[in-house]
mmCIF file of all heavy atoms in Angstrom:
data_model
loop_
_atom_site.group_PDB
_atom_site.id
_atom_site.type_symbol
_atom_site.label_atom_id
_atom_site.label_comp_id
_atom_site.label_asym_id
_atom_site.label_seq_id
_atom_site.Cartn_x
_atom_site.Cartn_y
_atom_site.Cartn_z
ATOM 1 N N PRO A 1505 12.998 21.953 -21.522
ATOM 2 C CA PRO A 1505 13.906 23.088 -21.267
ATOM 3 C C PRO A 1505 13.214 24.385 -20.859
ATOM 4 O O PRO A 1505 13.764 25.151 -20.067
ATOM 5 C CB PRO A 1505 14.640 23.236 -22.608
ATOM 6 C CG PRO A 1505 14.566 21.890 -23.237
ATOM 7 C CD PRO A 1505 13.241 21.322 -22.827
ATOM 8 N N ASP A 1506 12.017 24.651 -21.374
ATOM 9 C CA ASP A 1506 11.365 25.923 -21.063
ATOM 10 C C ASP A 1506 10.375 25.819 -19.911
ATOM 11 O O ASP A 1506 9.570 26.724 -19.684
ATOM 12 C CB ASP A 1506 10.663 26.479 -22.304
ATOM 13 C CG ASP A 1506 9.557 25.554 -22.817
ATOM 14 O OD1 ASP A 1506 9.495 24.400 -22.360
ATOM 15 O OD2 ASP A 1506 8.760 26.001 -23.666
ATOM 16 N N TYR A 1507 10.439 24.712 -19.162
ATOM 17 C CA TYR A 1507 9.485 24.547 -18.062
ATOM 18 C C TYR A 1507 9.734 25.586 -16.976
ATOM 19 O O TYR A 1507 10.877 25.825 -16.566
ATOM 20 C CB TYR A 1507 9.571 23.144 -17.457
ATOM 21 C CG TYR A 1507 8.650 22.989 -16.262
ATOM 22 C CD1 TYR A 1507 7.274 22.905 -16.445
ATOM 23 C CD2 TYR A 1507 9.143 22.982 -14.958
ATOM 24 C CE1 TYR A 1507 6.412 22.799 -15.370
ATOM 25 C CE2 TYR A 1507 8.293 22.861 -13.870
ATOM 26 C CZ TYR A 1507 6.929 22.786 -14.088
ATOM 27 O OH TYR A 1507 6.071 22.692 -13.006
ATOM 28 N N GLN A 1508 8.641 26.170 -16.470
ATOM 29 C CA GLN A 1508 8.694 27.146 -15.387
ATOM 30 C C GLN A 1508 7.997 26.576 -14.158
ATOM 31 O O GLN A 1508 6.853 26.106 -14.236
ATOM 32 C CB GLN A 1508 7.996 28.452 -15.806
ATOM 33 C CG GLN A 1508 8.652 29.158 -16.981
ATOM 34 C CD GLN A 1508 10.032 29.688 -16.624
ATOM 35 O OE1 GLN A 1508 10.237 30.287 -15.555
ATOM 36 N NE2 GLN A 1508 10.991 29.467 -17.513
ATOM 37 N N ASP A 1509 8.702 26.613 -13.019
ATOM 38 C CA ASP A 1509 8.107 26.113 -11.779
ATOM 39 C C ASP A 1509 6.809 26.840 -11.460
ATOM 40 O O ASP A 1509 6.697 28.054 -11.674
ATOM 41 C CB ASP A 1509 9.064 26.313 -10.602
ATOM 42 C CG ASP A 1509 10.225 25.342 -10.617
ATOM 43 O OD1 ASP A 1509 10.231 24.426 -11.458
ATOM 44 O OD2 ASP A 1509 11.126 25.511 -9.769
ATOM 45 N N PHE A 1510 5.848 26.097 -10.929
ATOM 46 C CA PHE A 1510 4.620 26.716 -10.432
ATOM 47 C C PHE A 1510 4.926 27.535 -9.179
ATOM 48 O O PHE A 1510 4.469 28.662 -9.021
ATOM 49 C CB PHE A 1510 3.591 25.629 -10.122
ATOM 50 C CG PHE A 1510 2.284 26.149 -9.607
ATOM 51 C CD1 PHE A 1510 1.320 26.621 -10.481
ATOM 52 C CD2 PHE A 1510 2.010 26.159 -8.235
ATOM 53 C CE1 PHE A 1510 0.098 27.100 -10.003
ATOM 54 C CE2 PHE A 1510 0.791 26.644 -7.763
ATOM 55 C CZ PHE A 1510 -0.160 27.116 -8.636
ATOM 56 N N ASP A 1511 5.708 26.952 -8.271
ATOM 57 C CA ASP A 1511 6.130 27.640 -7.049
ATOM 58 C C ASP A 1511 7.399 26.948 -6.574
ATOM 59 O O ASP A 1511 7.365 25.763 -6.201
ATOM 60 C CB ASP A 1511 5.046 27.562 -5.982
ATOM 61 C CG ASP A 1511 5.332 28.448 -4.770
ATOM 62 O OD1 ASP A 1511 6.505 28.509 -4.338
ATOM 63 O OD2 ASP A 1511 4.387 29.061 -4.235
ATOM 64 N N ALA A 1512 8.508 27.653 -6.574
ATOM 65 C CA ALA A 1512 9.797 27.058 -6.242
ATOM 66 C C ALA A 1512 9.836 26.522 -4.814
ATOM 67 O O ALA A 1512 10.678 25.681 -4.486
ATOM 68 C CB ALA A 1512 10.909 28.087 -6.446
ATOM 69 N N ARG A 1513 8.941 26.976 -3.946
ATOM 70 C CA ARG A 1513 8.935 26.519 -2.553
ATOM 71 C C ARG A 1513 8.343 25.123 -2.397
ATOM 72 O O ARG A 1513 8.527 24.485 -1.357
ATOM 73 C CB ARG A 1513 8.133 27.508 -1.695
ATOM 74 C CG ARG A 1513 8.676 28.930 -1.690
ATOM 75 C CD ARG A 1513 7.723 29.863 -0.998
ATOM 76 N NE ARG A 1513 6.433 29.934 -1.687
ATOM 77 C CZ ARG A 1513 5.378 30.622 -1.240
ATOM 78 N NH1 ARG A 1513 5.463 31.292 -0.095
ATOM 79 N NH2 ARG A 1513 4.252 30.634 -1.929
ATOM 80 N N PHE A 1514 7.623 24.660 -3.411
ATOM 81 C CA PHE A 1514 6.904 23.404 -3.278
ATOM 82 C C PHE A 1514 7.838 22.198 -3.177
ATOM 83 O O PHE A 1514 7.459 21.169 -2.626
ATOM 84 C CB PHE A 1514 5.929 23.223 -4.435
ATOM 85 C CG PHE A 1514 4.656 24.020 -4.297
ATOM 86 C CD1 PHE A 1514 4.531 25.016 -3.332
ATOM 87 C CD2 PHE A 1514 3.578 23.782 -5.130
ATOM 88 C CE1 PHE A 1514 3.362 25.756 -3.194
ATOM 89 C CE2 PHE A 1514 2.397 24.505 -5.007
ATOM 90 C CZ PHE A 1514 2.292 25.493 -4.042
ATOM 91 N N GLY A 1515 9.040 22.304 -3.710
ATOM 92 C CA GLY A 1515 9.981 21.201 -3.589
ATOM 93 C C GLY A 1515 10.287 20.870 -2.146
ATOM 94 O O GLY A 1515 10.376 19.693 -1.766
ATOM 95 N N PHE A 1516 10.438 21.894 -1.311
ATOM 96 C CA PHE A 1516 10.693 21.674 0.110
ATOM 97 C C PHE A 1516 9.461 21.087 0.794
ATOM 98 O O PHE A 1516 9.572 20.204 1.657
ATOM 99 C CB PHE A 1516 11.081 22.988 0.786
ATOM 100 C CG PHE A 1516 11.299 22.869 2.271
ATOM 101 C CD1 PHE A 1516 12.490 22.393 2.780
ATOM 102 C CD2 PHE A 1516 10.291 23.220 3.167
ATOM 103 C CE1 PHE A 1516 12.695 22.267 4.150
ATOM 104 C CE2 PHE A 1516 10.477 23.101 4.534
ATOM 105 C CZ PHE A 1516 11.686 22.627 5.031
ATOM 106 N N LEU A 1517 8.277 21.544 0.406
ATOM 107 C CA LEU A 1517 7.049 21.099 1.056
ATOM 108 C C LEU A 1517 6.666 19.674 0.685
ATOM 109 O O LEU A 1517 6.128 18.937 1.520
ATOM 110 C CB LEU A 1517 5.884 22.031 0.682
ATOM 111 C CG LEU A 1517 5.971 23.486 1.133
ATOM 112 C CD1 LEU A 1517 4.731 24.233 0.686
ATOM 113 C CD2 LEU A 1517 6.146 23.582 2.635
ATOM 114 N N PHE A 1518 6.949 19.258 -0.558
ATOM 115 C CA PHE A 1518 6.344 18.035 -1.065
ATOM 116 C C PHE A 1518 7.330 16.957 -1.479
ATOM 117 O O PHE A 1518 6.919 15.909 -1.984
ATOM 118 C CB PHE A 1518 5.386 18.375 -2.211
ATOM 119 C CG PHE A 1518 4.292 19.321 -1.789
ATOM 120 C CD1 PHE A 1518 4.117 20.535 -2.434
ATOM 121 C CD2 PHE A 1518 3.474 19.018 -0.714
ATOM 122 C CE1 PHE A 1518 3.118 21.418 -2.027
ATOM 123 C CE2 PHE A 1518 2.475 19.896 -0.298
ATOM 124 C CZ PHE A 1518 2.303 21.102 -0.951
ATOM 125 N N ASN A 1519 8.622 17.153 -1.245
ATOM 126 C CA ASN A 1519 9.578 16.055 -1.332
ATOM 127 C C ASN A 1519 9.261 15.089 -0.188
ATOM 128 O O ASN A 1519 8.929 15.511 0.926
ATOM 129 C CB ASN A 1519 11.003 16.599 -1.219
ATOM 130 C CG ASN A 1519 12.072 15.515 -1.300
ATOM 131 O OD1 ASN A 1519 11.792 14.346 -1.514
ATOM 132 N ND2 ASN A 1519 13.313 15.926 -1.127
ATOM 133 N N SER A 1520 9.342 13.794 -0.446
ATOM 134 C CA SER A 1520 9.020 12.816 0.594
ATOM 135 C C SER A 1520 10.272 12.365 1.331
ATOM 136 O O SER A 1520 10.444 12.639 2.517
ATOM 137 C CB SER A 1520 8.293 11.619 -0.014
ATOM 138 O OG SER A 1520 9.030 11.077 -1.094
ATOM 139 N N TYR A 1521 11.165 11.643 0.650
ATOM 140 C CA TYR A 1521 12.344 11.092 1.323
ATOM 141 C C TYR A 1521 13.572 11.083 0.429
ATOM 142 O O TYR A 1521 14.531 10.383 0.715
ATOM 143 C CB TYR A 1521 12.046 9.662 1.808
ATOM 144 C CG TYR A 1521 11.456 8.753 0.745
ATOM 145 C CD1 TYR A 1521 12.223 8.280 -0.310
ATOM 146 C CD2 TYR A 1521 10.128 8.381 0.784
ATOM 147 C CE1 TYR A 1521 11.692 7.466 -1.289
ATOM 148 C CE2 TYR A 1521 9.581 7.566 -0.187
ATOM 149 C CZ TYR A 1521 10.359 7.103 -1.222
ATOM 150 O OH TYR A 1521 9.829 6.296 -2.189
ATOM 151 N N TYR A 1522 13.577 11.857 -0.644
ATOM 152 C CA TYR A 1522 14.704 11.853 -1.588
ATOM 153 C C TYR A 1522 15.804 12.785 -1.080
ATOM 154 O O TYR A 1522 15.801 13.987 -1.328
ATOM 155 C CB TYR A 1522 14.225 12.268 -2.977
ATOM 156 C CG TYR A 1522 13.244 11.293 -3.576
ATOM 157 C CD1 TYR A 1522 11.871 11.444 -3.389
ATOM 158 C CD2 TYR A 1522 13.690 10.195 -4.301
ATOM 159 C CE1 TYR A 1522 10.967 10.533 -3.915
ATOM 160 C CE2 TYR A 1522 12.795 9.273 -4.834
ATOM 161 C CZ TYR A 1522 11.435 9.449 -4.639
ATOM 162 O OH TYR A 1522 10.547 8.543 -5.165
#
Side-chain angles (χ1 to χ4, degrees):
D1506 62 348
Y1507 176 73
Q1508 297 293 315
D1509 286 353
F1510 180 82
D1511 189 320
R1513 300 172 298 176
F1514 282 12
F1516 177 81
L1517 296 181
F1518 301 122
N1519 180 4
S1520 53
Y1521 50 72
Y1522 296 91

